[in-house]
Amino acid sequence: MVRIAVVEKEKCHPEKCGNYLCIAVCPVNRTGSDCIVKDPVSSKARVIEETCVGCNICVHKCPFHAIHIINLPQELDGECIFRYSENGFALYKLPIPLFGRIVGIVGRNGIGKSTAMKIISGIEKPNLGRVDATEKDVYDHFKGTEAQIFFDKIKNKEIVPSYKLQHVDAIAHEYSCTIRELLGKVCQEEQELLELAKELGISKVLDRNIKQISGGELQRVAIAAALLKRANLYLFDEPTSFLDIKQRMKMSQLLQKKISEDKAFMVIEHDLLILDAMTDLLHVMYGKPAAYGVSSLAKTARVGINEYLEGFLREENLRFRDKPLRFAIVEREEQLDTEELLSWNAFSFSAGDFSLQGEEGSINKHDVVGILGENGIGKTTFVEIIAGNKNTNITKSKLKISYKSQYLEKVDESVASFLHLALANHERELIEPLDLKQLLEKNVNELSGGELQRVYVAKCLAEEADLYLLDEPSAYLDVEQRIVVAKLIHEFMQKRGKAAFIVDHDLMFVDYVSTKLMVISGEPAVKGHITGPFIMEEGMNKFLTELNLSMRRDEESKRPRMNKLDSRKDKEQKSTGKLYY
């Protein structure tokens, strides 16, 4: 058995737990030996793995959930690729890029996906889990394996990587130039640059300063920079963040078009529809977030995603999750209640050069209305009109409204105080399923993007209201968290007789959470036209027609899947006018 001990140093607060409670309760320490000690550098707790007996008393007693003692399968002994520090995150096995293929990576946040990609790109060096490992140690460990050949080729520049980092906002912090100048640094061919800019829809912003563009534009600039680099291994870490559905499909099709026998592509992605449509092979990464991660063998994209949702890797005969993630098939047309909550007449709204036209519509109790459309088409504007932040002729009488904005503010307040309503009234409904207990001692302004999103979703749903407005609730969440949040929102409205408008770009998320759909068409940043709400089939047919796409259900997992363009299934569904399963 392989045992590792991980201490999340940012969670360890010795001064708040009675001065190293873990040291006091450790049975090995109490015999006079050293197992848990005070780290002389960080002043945090440090676990000596060689003397740890795996009793887990420290794990249960730590009030901040900072310590993890993990017993790993024996087959992982000697398979550690990288460890950040003693008692730090450990990565076992690596996903493998293949030339002529797009290889995907799927897994929870904090499981080591980005770490694996940084090692593959050469940014991080393997250390075999030992901080003192030398280059010779690493070479001897991999000697005679495919990994050794791969790392040698990286070292000898036979494989030249191009890496699109996860957090694209770092580009705006590092550079202060026009987009054309930035892309010119990696590509001297003006025509190639212009053609790619056109494909990615950034031609109109090429002469803007990098600090003056939106998140979606910045993401597409980062994708362009990665593709323009003279390389043969292209690595994309979460390339769909900030992109709308149309842009996601364009990006997916662009990568597929770029693939050739002398190029390898690897993609980390949480949007399963896009990941499935884009990749040939897939590695599932599993483990314990912030503690350790393991990469599975390569599988076909369909099999890999289904096994990830099931929580069971068949080829490895390994279960890594207690319960499968199910896609329930809901008979959405059978409404529990037809009592109207809000109705509106046709309306118009203008702001600067942008105009939004809305047809008449209504929302009933129990409705969860997904809102679909491109970026800059008026989705957030419509939600803000309903919230009362924009002036139109829509009257909401005495409706109580709870609104979660697209932009999440990092306030200087404890999570426990920020979520006082959820803690008082909805601990089992919100705090437990969203896994927020371990965050309660933290300050809101210390949270990561995914943690902040879950906290704001809980805060929004905990408020007493008739109508809930959630703008991009899946942003920054991993696949498991997205499914949990979608299920939670859907069931919350059904059980309590409430209603919700949901704006999101993850089509699988919208499909799972919604009972009805609204579609906004038009020209981004110029004009938008709102139609609906429709029943799901009518709304999705309308939206997919605009995208020239069709969807089906996977026979095994029942999850939505995108048909490949012009495939037999795609042509068959389009010929019958039923683009949505």
Side-chain angles (χ1 to χ4, degrees):
M1 183 184 293
V2 183
R3 180 179 294 126
I4 65 170
V6 176
V7 179
E8 294 186 68
K9 289 186 168 55
E10 69 277 7
K11 289 184 179 180
C12 180
H13 303 289
E15 72 284 358
K16 295 181 181 179
C17 70
N19 196 22
Y20 300 96
L21 176 62
C22 55
I23 293 177
V25 301
C26 176
V28 178
N29 281 16
R30 295 171 76 173
T31 65
S33 300
D34 283 340
C35 179
I36 306 180
V37 298
K38 175 183 175 181
D39 189 287
V41 178
S42 67
S43 296
K44 306 287 187 177
R46 179 165 71 89
V47 181
I48 301 170
E49 290 175 345
E50 291 78 12
T51 59
C52 177
V53 296
C55 67
N56 278 311
I57 293 174
C58 58
V59 174
H60 299 303
K61 290 291 185 180
C62 176
F64 310 113
H65 310 286
I67 302 175
H68 309 281
I69 308 296
I70 301 155
N71 296 320
L72 298 174
Q74 186 65 43
E75 55 264 30
L76 291 180
D77 192 15
E79 291 288 343
C80 187
I81 300 293
F82 180 82
R83 200 164 186 185
Y84 278 101
S85 61
E86 185 179 13
N87 293 164
F89 177 87
L91 176 66
Y92 293 82
K93 301 184 179 180
L94 276 179
I96 305 297
L98 289 174
F99 282 83
R101 296 285 185 271
I102 301 179
V103 177
I105 305 175
V106 66
R108 297 188 64 184
N109 285 335
I111 213 76
K113 302 184 302 298
S114 295
T115 298
M117 193 169 270
K118 286 176 182 176
I119 292 170
I120 292 166
S121 70
I123 295 173
E124 295 280 7
K125 304 295 182 186
N127 62 14
L128 311 180
R130 309 198 313 267
V131 182
D132 60 349
T134 65
E135 191 171 324
K136 184 179 183 304
D137 291 334
V138 175
Y139 183 86
D140 289 343
H141 177 81
F142 290 116
K143 192 173 182 180
T145 67
E146 287 187 18
Q148 182 236 328
I149 297 169
F150 176 81
F151 289 126
D152 279 349
K153 286 184 176 180
I154 287 276
K155 186 178 179 180
N156 298 330
K157 305 233 181 319
E158 293 175 53
I159 294 179
V160 180
S162 176
Y163 176 50
K164 200 287 300 177
L165 74 171
Q166 178 183 1
H167 301 291
V168 293
D169 52 335
I171 300 171
H173 292 306
E174 187 173 343
Y175 296 95
S176 182
C177 59
T178 66
I179 295 165
R180 190 187 299 273
E181 290 168 341
L182 179 69
L183 296 180
K185 295 177 188 291
V186 293
C187 177
Q188 307 303 316
E189 299 291 332
E190 178 75 7
Q191 190 58 38
E192 184 182 357
L193 190 158
L194 293 175
E195 286 175 5
L196 187 59
K198 183 178 180 181
E199 285 189 273
L200 287 168
I202 55 173
S203 300
K204 294 180 180 179
V205 297
L206 282 176
D207 294 311
R208 282 194 203 167
N209 190 287
I210 195 74
K211 298 183 186 297
Q212 298 173 331
I213 60 175
S214 69
E217 290 165 337
L218 195 56
Q219 181 70 268
R220 284 175 283 161
V221 168
I223 292 168
L227 288 173
L228 288 169
K229 186 177 177 182
R230 295 292 174 252
N232 55 5
L233 172 59
Y234 297 86
L235 305 160
F236 293 86
D237 197 341
E238 297 191 27
T240 68
S241 299
F242 306 110
L243 301 187
D244 62 42
I245 299 168
K246 191 172 185 178
Q247 291 163 349
R248 292 180 184 198
M249 289 308 304
K250 279 186 177 180
M251 182 275 302
S252 168
Q253 291 162 359
L254 177 62
L255 293 195
Q256 289 176 312
K257 192 169 73 173
K258 294 285 183 182
I259 196 69
S260 63
E261 290 302 317
D262 59 347
K263 292 179 182 177
F265 286 74
M266 184 166 268
V267 181
I268 295 171
E269 186 50 59
H270 293 301
D271 185 331
L272 289 187
L273 266 178
I274 299 298
L275 187 69
D276 189 18
M278 177 171 39
T279 58
D280 304 300
L281 297 170
L282 192 73
H283 289 272
V284 175
M285 290 198 65
Y286 61 94
K288 186 177 179 64
Y292 79 100
V294 186
S295 174
S296 77
L297 301 171
K299 306 167 187 296
T300 62
R302 177 185 172 274
V303 169
I305 290 174
N306 284 353
E307 289 189 6
Y308 175 70
L309 294 173
E310 187 65 27
F312 179 71
L313 302 173
R314 291 191 181 94
E315 202 169 340
E316 291 90 334
N317 192 28
L318 186 146
R319 180 163 290 284
F320 60 88
R321 195 188 314 109
D322 293 338
K323 296 179 181 177
L325 301 173
R326 298 291 189 200
F327 284 85
I329 301 176
V330 181
E331 296 297 331
R332 295 183 174 100
E333 289 76 10
E334 295 179 10
Q335 294 299 313
L336 295 172
D337 198 328
T338 55
E339 183 182 342
E340 188 176 276
L341 191 67
L342 172 68
S343 64
W344 55 90
N345 296 321
F347 69 92
S348 60
F349 173 81
S350 296
D353 296 330
F354 178 75
S355 65
L356 182 65
Q357 304 290 325
E359 296 182 5
E360 65 176 358
S362 65
I363 185 170
N364 298 334
K365 287 185 177 181
H366 299 100
D367 282 350
V368 183
V369 180
I371 303 175
L372 296 174
E374 296 179 62
N375 282 334
I377 206 75
K379 301 184 302 298
T380 295
T381 299
F382 175 73
V383 168
E384 289 187 336
I385 288 170
I386 297 296
N389 298 342
K390 307 280 188 186
N391 292 320
T392 65
N393 57 349
I394 293 181
T395 57
K396 295 171 287 298
S397 62
K398 296 180 180 179
L399 276 185
K400 290 182 182 177
I401 293 174
S402 178
Y403 176 38
K404 186 203 79 70
S405 171
Q406 175 184 354
Y407 303 104
L408 309 178
E409 186 182 356
K410 288 197 171 187
V411 297
D412 186 15
E413 184 180 354
S414 74
V415 173
S417 171
F418 194 68
L419 293 178
H420 67 280
L421 286 177
L423 281 166
N425 305 314
H426 303 286
E427 187 166 347
R428 291 189 66 182
E429 286 180 294
L430 298 176
I431 300 297
E432 289 180 11
L434 290 173
D435 195 22
L436 298 176
K437 278 192 175 181
Q438 60 179 327
L439 303 179
L440 297 177
E441 297 290 334
K442 283 189 171 185
N443 199 293
V444 175
N445 59 22
E446 298 172 346
L447 301 178
S448 68
E451 292 170 340
L452 196 64
Q453 188 69 259
R454 286 181 284 137
V455 164
Y456 266 91
V457 167
K459 183 179 188 299
C460 176
L461 295 179
E463 293 175 2
E464 187 56 42
D466 305 298
L467 181 62
Y468 295 83
L469 314 174
L470 293 102
D471 198 343
E472 297 197 28
S474 82
Y476 308 110
L477 301 184
D478 61 38
V479 175
E480 294 187 34
Q481 292 166 344
R482 290 180 188 198
I483 293 174
V484 168
V485 169
K487 186 170 185 274
L488 187 148
I489 294 171
H490 184 93
E491 290 182 352
F492 195 88
M493 303 307 150
Q494 301 304 307
K495 288 177 181 178
R496 296 184 169 270
K498 309 295 186 178
F501 284 109
I502 309 291
V503 174
D504 211 275
H505 294 304
D506 185 330
L507 200 55
M508 183 179 289
F509 180 89
V510 173
D511 179 70
Y512 194 18
V513 75
S514 306
T515 60
K516 293 180 180 177
L517 286 179
M518 296 181 74
V519 179
I520 308 184
S521 310
E523 185 179 349
V526 179
K527 60 182 178 181
H529 181 218
I530 304 173
T531 54
F534 304 104
I535 62 170
M536 288 296 292
E537 184 176 359
E538 185 181 356
M540 199 65 86
N541 261 331
K542 178 177 173 60
F543 185 67
L544 291 173
T545 299
E546 293 182 5
L547 296 179
N548 189 31
L549 297 170
S550 62
M551 288 169 61
R552 69 187 188 280
R553 273 198 188 275
D554 183 79
E555 292 181 3
E556 183 180 335
S557 65
K558 306 305 178 189
R559 64 184 170 88
R561 297 188 71 194
M562 202 73 75
N563 292 320
K564 294 198 182 297
L565 198 62
D566 295 327
S567 66
R568 181 187 61 79
K569 191 70 175 174
D570 181 55
K571 291 177 180 177
E572 180 184 303
Q573 287 185 226
K574 286 176 179 175
S575 68
T576 60
K578 294 183 177 180
L579 307 185
Y580 178 67
Y581 48 76

